[in-house]
Amino acid sequence: MMRMKIIKESNKENITGYLFVAPQILLFLIFLVYPIIEGIRLSLFQINYQDEIFVGLDNYRKLFSDPVFIQSTINTVIFVVFIVALTVVFAMFVSAAVFDKNAKYVSFIRGAYYIPVMVSMVVMSMIWSFLLNPANGLIPFVARELEVASVNFLGDTRLVLPVIIFVTFATNVGQAIILYIASMIGVPKELFEAAEVDGASRMKVIFKIIIPMVKPTTIYIIIMNIIAVLKIFVVIQLLTGGGPNNASTTLMYYLYNNAFKYNQLGIASAVGVIMFLITLLLSIPQLRIMFKKD
Amino acid sequence: MFKKRFLTMGLAAGLVLSALAGCTEKESGQSDVESDSGKAVELRVWLTPQWKGVLDGSEEGADYDSFFKHAAERFEKEYKDHKVNVNVEVVAGDQRDELLNVNLNGGTPPDVFFESVFAMGDYAHRGALVPLNDIVDDAAKKDISQNYWDNVTFGDDIYFYPFSHNPGTLAYNAEMFKAAGLEKYIGGEEEIKTWTLAEYEEILNGLKENLPKETYSNAYPMGLFALNNQGDTWNLAYLRMFGNQFFDNNGQLIVNDANGVKAANWMKGIYDAGLTNPGAESVSSNDVNAMFQNQQLAISFTNAILYSNAMADMESGKAPKFDMRLANIPSESGDPLSFTYVTGANVFDTKDETRIKVSKDFVKFISTDPELVKASKNGVPVRTSVAEEFSAEKPFFAAYSANDPYVFNFTGNVPGYSQLRQVLYPELQALYTGAKTAEEVVESYQTKGNKVIEEAKANSVIYK
C-alpha cells in the first residue's frame, strides 16, 4: 500500500517534468522525427505530381547501379577524410603554437582565422569562382598576361577535388581554432609548470599534455566536421556544378539534383536515408568515446 | 494539486488543439474566399528573363519584369469578375526547375509561368499544367500559324498560349572580323549570314592567327560552354553539324552514328586547337555571353531576344558598342542549322478552380490584347498581324522567315526533355577534359538519354 503511494507520488512529480519538456518533445517530433520517417517512407515510392506508386526497394537498387551515385559516395568520403584531417591537424598546430602567448596576439589570430567563417559560403564560393573561372577569372587572366601555362583548376578532374577541399578547409578552419584555443587555455597551469620543471620540450608538452587534454574537443570537432562535410553543397553548386563529368559531385549534390532538378523525389529520399545512416554510424562510436567515463 | 496538474495538461492540450484548429481554419477560410466570386484573388506570375521593357528595351527603367508588371496593372483595373492582385517574379533560367519542383512538391506552384515551351513541356507530361483549349478562339487560330500550335500541343491539348518565337543563331563581332582581315565573310547588317563549314573553320583560324592582340587582348575566336544545361541548344546544333538526325521516328536518340561521332570530334578539335575560350567544361553560357559583349569573343551564340537585349544594352551604354551581326550555325552540307524556341504562358494546376480561371483569363489577356501582343516584336511574333505591322521596323523578321525551311525540332517532342538536358553536359565535360573519346561520349549520351526518355514516357500523363 505504502509502495503504491510512493509510485503514485513519483508519477505525479514526473508529470510536471514531462509537461515542461512536452513542447520541446512536440517540436522535436514534428520537425525532426517526422521528416526522418517521411523521408524513409518517400524512399520507397516513385512520386510524380499526381500520384505516388509504391516501388519497395527499387530506388535503392537504382542508386547502387548508378555510377554517378557511386562516384558521389567516393567523392564524399574523400572530402570527409581530407577536410576533417586537415582541419584537425592545422587547427591543432595553430592553436598549440599561440594559445599561451600574449592575449592580444591570441585574439588577433582568433579573429583572423574566424573572419572567413563569418562570411557566407555563398560569398566565398563566388570569390573563388571569380578567381578561378577559366574563361574570365583573375588567376587564369594573370597567367595568360604573363604568358604562363594556365591550368583549369575547376575543369581538371585531378585538381577539382583538391581545390574544393582547400576552399572548404580554408573557410571552416577558424571554427576549430577558436574551440582548440579555448580548450587549451582551460588546461590546468600546474601541468605546464610541472613539465617546465621536468625540462620537457615544446613537442613533448604538445604530445603528452595538450593533445590528451583537449581530446573531448578533438572528438567534438571531428564529429561536427564529418556531419558538415557530408552535407557539403554550396561550394559544389557554385564552383563546379558537380563537374567536370561528375568528378566533384557529392552525395548532397546528387540528392539535390534528383530532388530539385530531375524531380526524382523517391531517389533523392533514398540518398537522404543512406546519408542519415552513414552519419549515424559515424557518430555513434564517436559519441560513445566522448561519453565514456574514464 | 492533482486538479491543478489536470488543468495544466488541459491547457497544454488546448493550446496544441487551438494551434491545429488555427491551421484548419486558415485553410477553410482561404477556400471560402476563393469560392466567393466577388473576393480578392492573388496570382503569382513567374517568368525567366526575356525582353526588357514593356515594348522596347530602350524605355526608361526597362527591365525583364516591365511588360508583365504593366500587363498586370492593366488586368487588375480591367478585370471585372474578381478583385485581382498579380505578383510578378523574375526567376533565373538556371534555377527554374529547382524552384518549380520545390514549389510543386510543397503544393505551392505559381499560377502562371511565361517561358520557352521546350523547357516547360515536361510539366505538361507530369500533369502539373492545365489545358488552355478553352481560351483559344478562332481569331487566334487564324492569326497564329499551325506550326506554333503544334509546338504547344501535347497529346490533344494546348498547354501554352504561343506569344513569340525566338530563333537561335550565332552572333559575330564584325569589327573583330575586319581587324583579322576577314572582311569577305562579313554579311549584311540585316542579313543572317550563312558560311560553309570550311569557311567557318577558316574564319576561326583567321581570328586566332590575325586578331591584333593590342586591340583585343585576351580574346578568342568562338564561345564554347558546357558547365550546365543552359544554352545547350547550340551544343545540340553543333552535334548535328555533320547531318546527324538526333531522334528516330519513335522519339529515341540516334546520336551514336558516324555523323554524331564526327561532330563530337569536331567540337573537341576546335577546343583543343585553341579556337574557343579555354575551360569550356567549367564555363556557362552566361559567361560566354558576357565575354562576347566585352569583346573577348568574336563569335558567340544568340537568339532574337538576346540579340535585341544586347543591342539595347549597347544603345544605353551599359555595354561597349560594336558592330554585332548574325550568322547561321554552319553545317557540312552547307545548309544552315536553324532552330527556334516558341515562348508563351502556361497555367499551373493549383487545384483551386477560381485561381485557375483567373489565371487563364490573365494568360488570354496578355496573349490577345492588341497592344500587349506588340511586345512579341522583341523576339519574332507568332502572330502574322504583329509580324506584318513591324516588318518595316524589324528587317530581321524576313531573314528569320527565310530560315524556316531549315528549322529542326531540337526536342524531338520527347517526354523527359528537361532531364535529357541534364544528361548532355556531363558528357560534353568528359569530352573536353579528355576523360572520354568522342565515340564514348555519343554512345554514353545515347544510352543514358534513351533511358530517361523511356522512364519519362512511362510516367507521362499524356501517354496514359
Side-chain angles (χ1 to χ4, degrees), chain A residues 16-269:
Chain A
T16 318
Y18 288 130
L19 276 174
F20 272 109
V21 294
Q24 176 64 31
I25 298 262
L26 199 68
L27 290 176
F28 173 76
L29 291 175
I30 295 172
F31 293 110
L32 288 168
V33 178
Y34 171 70
I36 292 170
I37 294 168
E38 183 63 7
I40 295 168
R41 188 187 73 80
L42 287 178
S43 73
L44 306 173
F45 284 82
Q46 188 187 31
I47 303 145
N48 62 30
Y49 189 55
Q50 296 205 322
D51 47 21
E52 292 179 358
I53 307 154
F54 181 77
V55 291
L57 295 174
D58 261 15
N59 289 328
Y60 292 92
R61 273 187 218 110
K62 272 187 192 167
L63 273 183
F64 287 105
S65 61
D66 182 356
V68 180
F69 173 75
I70 307 292
Q71 174 85 53
S72 338
T73 313
I74 295 168
N75 290 344
T76 308
V77 171
I78 293 173
F79 283 137
V80 167
V81 170
F82 281 92
I83 296 174
V84 173
L86 265 175
T87 305
V88 170
V89 172
F90 187 79
M92 177 84 79
F93 173 76
V94 172
S95 312
V98 304
F99 81 100
D100 53 354
K101 303 286 182 297
N102 177 303
K104 276 187 183 167
Y105 174 65
V106 174
S107 298
F108 171 74
I109 295 288
R110 269 200 292 217
Y113 279 107
Y114 201 70
I115 286 171
V117 182
M118 289 188 290
V119 178
S120 149
M121 197 66 198
V122 175
V123 176
M124 289 299 284
S125 304
M126 284 167 80
I127 292 167
W128 281 103
S129 174
F130 160 73
L131 292 173
L132 298 174
N133 188 308
N136 45 17
L138 186 65
I139 294 172
F141 171 75
V142 172
R144 276 196 296 273
E145 288 297 299
L146 298 174
E147 294 185 355
V148 177
S150 177
V151 181
N152 184 2
F153 289 99
L154 303 177
D156 188 320
T157 44
R158 288 161 305 170
L159 292 176
V160 72
L161 292 188
V163 166
I164 292 170
I165 288 169
F166 178 74
V167 169
T168 317
F169 153 75
T171 312
N172 289 337
V173 73
Q175 187 87 49
I177 290 175
I178 294 274
L179 290 170
Y180 267 136
I181 290 181
S183 179
M184 287 174 191
I185 288 172
V187 174
K189 295 278 175 294
E190 301 82 55
L191 292 174
F192 296 117
E193 282 162 13
E196 208 179 325
V197 171
D198 290 347
S201 67
R202 183 83 178 168
M203 291 304 277
K204 273 237 162 91
V205 170
I206 290 172
F207 282 98
K208 301 285 180 190
I209 300 174
I210 298 177
I211 293 178
M213 290 304 285
V214 299
K215 195 172 141 197
T217 310
T218 307
I219 293 167
Y220 174 78
I221 289 171
I222 290 173
I223 295 173
M224 287 301 129
N225 273 281
I226 287 175
I227 294 170
V229 178
L230 274 174
K231 293 190 283 185
I232 188 168
F233 171 76
V234 174
V235 66
I236 307 286
Q237 163 84 338
L238 293 175
L239 271 187
T240 65
N245 191 26
N246 297 312
S248 62
T249 305
T250 58
L251 282 174
M252 196 64 186
Y253 193 67
Y254 183 86
L255 184 156
Y256 171 82
N257 274 347
N258 276 283
F260 306 125
K261 282 190 184 167
Y262 315 154
N263 199 43
Q264 300 286 344
L265 278 191
I267 297 271
S269 303

Side-chain angles (χ1 to χ4, degrees), chain B residues 1 29 47 53 119 135 153 168 227 271:
Chain B
M1 185 77 174
L47 64 138
I135 57 168
T153 304
L227 177 72
Y271 177 70

Side-chain angles (χ1 to χ4, degrees), chain B residues 324-347:
Chain B
M324 179 170 66
R325 300 193 190 190
L326 296 183
N328 280 309
I329 301 160
S331 73
E332 193 191 35
S333 71
D335 287 341
L337 282 165
S338 191
F339 60 85
T340 190
Y341 308 111
V342 175
T343 52
N346 57 57
V347 173

Side-chain angles (χ1 to χ4, degrees), chain B residues 154-319:
Chain B
F154 292 74
D156 299 325
D157 295 317
I158 294 165
Y159 282 92
F160 301 82
Y161 209 123
F163 188 82
S164 62
H165 75 105
N166 202 8
T169 57
L170 298 177
Y172 62 98
N173 184 329
E175 288 162 22
M176 286 170 95
F177 272 48
K178 278 179 202 157
L182 296 164
E183 288 90 345
K184 63 175 175 171
Y185 295 114
I186 299 174
E189 279 180 24
E190 289 154 7
E191 181 192 356
I192 303 176
K193 179 76 178 166
T194 300
W195 303 303
T196 64
L197 196 55
E199 284 173 335
Y200 190 62
E201 284 173 352
E202 218 169 291
I203 291 169
L204 294 179
N205 284 306
L207 286 163
K208 191 188 175 209
E209 300 302 325
N210 305 322
L211 205 57
K213 294 274 177 289
E214 56 281 7
T215 326
Y216 299 105
S217 68
N218 209 31
Y220 305 94
M222 179 194 170
L224 213 53
F225 46 88
L227 177 72
N228 54 31
N229 66 6
Q230 297 302 302
D232 58 348
T233 335
W234 282 266
N235 287 327
L236 293 174
Y238 303 147
L239 283 170
R240 287 173 183 256
M241 271 181 161
F242 291 85
N244 186 275
Q245 291 302 303
F246 237 80
F247 294 103
D248 66 10
N249 294 333
N250 300 319
Q252 292 282 299
L253 278 173
I254 47 164
V255 71
N256 181 20
D257 67 2
N259 293 328
V261 172
K262 221 169 166 182
N265 265 322
W266 184 86
M267 291 164 85
K268 172 76 170 154
I270 58 164
Y271 177 70
D272 286 347
L275 301 176
T276 73
N277 54 284
E281 61 276 11
S282 36
V283 166
S284 70
S285 60
N286 283 343
D287 291 331
V288 162
N289 202 20
M291 286 177 79
F292 179 67
Q293 287 195 291
N294 287 323
Q295 304 195 67
Q296 289 174 299
L297 289 172
I299 304 170
S300 182
F301 72 101
T302 196
N303 60 41
I305 290 176
L306 277 176
Y307 176 80
S308 138
N309 285 340
M311 287 305 242
D313 284 349
M314 285 192 218
E315 288 305 321
S316 65
K318 281 184 194 165

